[in-house]
Amino acid sequence: MSAPASGLNLCPPREPSPEEYIAHVDVNSFYVSCERAFDPRLIGRPVIVLSNNDGCAVARSDEAKALGIDMGAPWFKLAPTAERMGLVAKSSNYELYGDLSARTMQLLGRHSAWVEVYSIDEAFLGVRGTLPELQALARRMKQDVMDHLGLPVCVGIAKTKTLAKLANKAAKKNPHLGGVCVWEAVTEEDREQLLGRLPTVEIWGIGPRLAKRLMGLGIRTMKDLRDADAVMLRNRFSIVMMRTVLELRGTPCIPLEEEYEIKDQLIFSRSFSTPITDAHGMEQVLGIYAQQASARLHKHQRQAKVLSAWAMTSYYNTQDNHQPAVTVALPGPTADPLLLTRAAKALLPKILDGVKYARAGIVVTDVRPTGAQETFEPFVNRHEARDIGPLIQKIKQHHGVNAVGLGLAGMKTGPEWTMRREMMSPRYTTHWDELLTVYAS
């Protein structure tokens, strides 16, 4: 097959291979695609989905990208010209996105018994087969998700996770591949050309800072990194960098995980629809975040040793620039909502009345499995020993998320700062009274 003027070219089919492969499936522009699945009028139009409280763009359609709208662009700057540009903005509808994500993962589970849900819109799957069989499998997965959910996905298949992610990216950027790329079915010449063209920052796990350090060693492209001395890079960076090098060479170093567990830290943060200007309002914010952190830690059977809390004024507020922060060493590894809430409140004395805080958050770090460090009986927290955290979660599961909470976080009526979602679409798949209505003529 002759190579096109640009893009990748496919090799002729090879002999059957007994080796295992990894497939990476990613929904294209997931949030936007979820909106389009129930409102086809959005197809072909520039669409963005906004962050909580309609703050900034967190998802963009290709048409919106073509207009030059950056990720993170604030809505208050885009709104005055949106109508003239034909730009459609939607408030984030996480209930809809979460349900469609769960359905997508269930569908993918029909094609492999080994599915690792990596994020809300992407998953890794363990697959086997010859190259033609893998290509056919990838096309079936893609078609299944489109037929059942109306969501477009791209599929990349390779021997390692890193190369599968790269293959997926190639599938997205080369339309003639039809959204499917089996890395080893691409000619070696095209693979080398692609690796020699893409910068290291495009590699899964390589951020701008690492890319800059690599550039200082003369390593600019993926090909440069693949061919570099892996031991030298391990000594200069970490074992993680060495794994990336080996993965680029086709040696699997990052195994599939049945469940993506929380790692070293958890972050809970949100911008406010209405600025918070006093310690009372901030106390409610911190209480809610601390109890969300407690719930997540309990769910994954984890405890944290350190909590940091912070607040900040708007980036665009040049008059009241204030960014207080505290870090609290917890008395021991804990997931107790009371202890976490109490620790988060250490920020309150630093809150200045009258200053317009636009965002706040907490981070729990030094996360470890529950019970990994045994606590002497005299030091066992009496609240944690009573399992207050799991009890609160059981009540919420049976009676709703607003049924109970500690302190100000348990107020029946939600706080004003979380309420703004003025352009949210219906929750089509999870609420009977918001089902899509179809008229037949």
Side-chain angles (χ1 to χ4, degrees):
M1 184 182 294
S2 60
S6 61
L8 303 179
N9 196 17
L10 301 181
C11 286
R14 297 182 187 177
E15 290 296 321
S17 168
E19 295 181 69
E20 296 179 347
Y21 289 82
I22 294 175
H24 177 250
V25 183
D26 185 21
V27 183
N28 303 339
S29 302
F30 179 61
Y31 293 171
V32 171
S33 294
C34 290
E35 299 290 346
R36 284 175 166 171
F38 291 91
D39 187 355
R41 294 172 300 178
L42 299 177
I43 296 174
R45 299 183 62 184
V47 180
I48 60 172
V49 174
L50 302 173
S51 62
N52 285 317
N53 300 318
D54 297 343
C56 59
V58 293
R60 304 162 296 161
S61 67
D62 289 339
E63 295 82 1
K65 294 175 186 174
L67 289 176
I69 297 173
D70 295 326
M71 186 69 87
W75 173 239
F76 78 87
K77 284 192 170 183
L78 297 172
T81 57
E83 185 174 354
R84 180 172 56 79
M85 292 191 296
L87 177 65
V88 179
K90 307 293 288 186
S91 300
S92 50
N93 188 344
Y94 293 117
E95 192 165 333
L96 174 67
Y97 308 153
D99 186 62
L100 289 182
S101 172
R103 294 175 188 231
T104 301
M105 301 311 164
Q106 286 178 353
L107 270 175
L108 295 177
R110 297 179 182 179
H111 298 279
S112 173
W114 201 348
V115 179
E116 175 189 334
V117 179
Y118 184 68
S119 69
I120 193 170
D121 63 345
E122 59 181 323
F124 292 102
L125 291 80
V127 294
R128 298 177 68 94
T130 64
L131 295 182
E133 288 171 346
L134 292 172
Q135 286 188 323
L137 173 64
R139 293 192 188 99
R140 286 200 302 274
M141 288 194 283
K142 179 177 173 58
Q143 196 62 46
D144 261 5
V145 179
M146 175 55 74
D147 289 346
H148 290 86
L149 299 173
L151 299 177
V153 303
C154 284
V155 183
I157 296 180
K159 288 182 179 178
T160 71
K161 280 185 172 180
T162 302
L163 288 177
K165 290 269 286 188
L166 178 59
N168 195 314
K169 185 173 293 187
K172 277 188 171 66
K173 294 187 175 180
N174 293 274
H176 73 281
L177 294 178
V180 168
C181 178
V182 179
W183 186 245
E184 292 198 353
V186 177
T187 63
E188 184 175 356
E189 180 183 356
D190 282 345
R191 292 200 303 261
E192 290 297 303
Q193 188 181 21
L194 182 68
L195 290 170
R197 194 171 67 236
L198 291 177
T200 56
V201 75
E202 297 277 337
I203 302 174
W204 182 39
I206 304 288
R209 288 185 179 179
L210 273 180
K212 190 174 180 180
R213 290 178 63 192
L214 288 169
M215 193 173 293
L217 298 173
I219 299 173
R220 300 174 181 275
T221 67
M222 294 187 182
K223 185 177 180 181
D224 292 338
L225 184 62
R226 182 200 62 185
D227 298 337
D229 184 336
V231 175
M232 179 273 291
L233 290 172
R234 181 198 62 189
N235 294 337
R236 282 180 174 262
F237 294 88
S238 68
I239 189 67
V240 177
M241 180 63 77
M242 184 177 183
R243 287 176 184 160
T244 298
V245 173
L246 295 177
E247 288 251 323
L248 285 173
R249 295 174 184 174
T251 303
C253 296
I254 307 173
L256 283 168
E257 300 174 11
E258 290 188 2
E259 183 177 3
Y260 185 70
E261 297 183 339
I262 57 176
K263 300 299 183 183
D264 299 329
Q265 66 177 20
L266 284 175
I267 302 174
F268 294 84
S269 171
R270 180 178 293 177
S271 57
F272 310 134
S273 59
T274 303
I276 289 178
T277 57
D278 57 29
H280 180 77
M282 193 61 71
E283 182 178 359
Q284 185 181 27
V285 173
L286 297 173
I288 290 173
Y289 290 167
Q291 289 166 52
Q292 288 176 346
S294 169
R296 186 75 65 85
L297 288 168
H298 277 296
K299 179 181 177 182
H300 293 276
Q301 298 184 326
R302 292 291 189 275
Q303 295 175 321
K305 190 73 184 299
V306 178
L307 182 144
S308 299
W310 54 269
M312 62 184 294
T313 51
S314 170
Y315 176 78
Y316 301 96
N317 182 353
T318 57
Q319 295 181 339
D320 293 327
N321 186 14
H322 190 221
Q323 300 180 12
V326 294
T327 296
V328 180
L330 299 166
T334 182
D336 181 67
L338 190 64
L339 286 180
L340 295 178
T341 302
R342 189 179 296 160
K345 287 182 180 179
L347 180 70
L348 296 180
K350 297 189 175 186
I351 298 299
L352 303 178
D353 281 347
V355 171
K356 296 180 178 178
Y357 295 99
R359 192 178 183 89
I362 70 165
V363 183
V364 290
T365 54
D366 198 357
V367 176
R368 60 190 68 186
T370 299
Q373 180 177 329
E374 189 171 355
T375 306
F376 291 118
E377 187 63 29
F379 300 100
V380 173
N381 178 267
R382 59 189 177 92
H383 297 286
E384 194 148 27
R386 294 174 180 172
D387 288 334
I388 290 178
L391 175 62
I392 290 176
Q393 291 314 305
K394 286 180 182 177
I395 295 173
K396 288 186 174 183
Q397 286 172 2
H398 285 88
H399 302 285
V401 294
N402 297 322
V404 67
L406 293 175
L408 293 178
M411 292 177 66
K412 186 70 177 177
T413 304
E416 184 181 354
W417 48 269
T418 64
M419 291 292 112
R420 194 168 73 189
R421 286 183 180 178
E422 297 172 348
M423 295 165 282
M424 193 171 85
S425 54
R427 296 161 292 184
Y428 301 104
T429 58
T430 53
H431 288 254
W432 287 109
D433 56 345
E434 297 181 26
L435 280 176
L436 192 66
T437 303
V438 178
Y439 298 95
S441 59

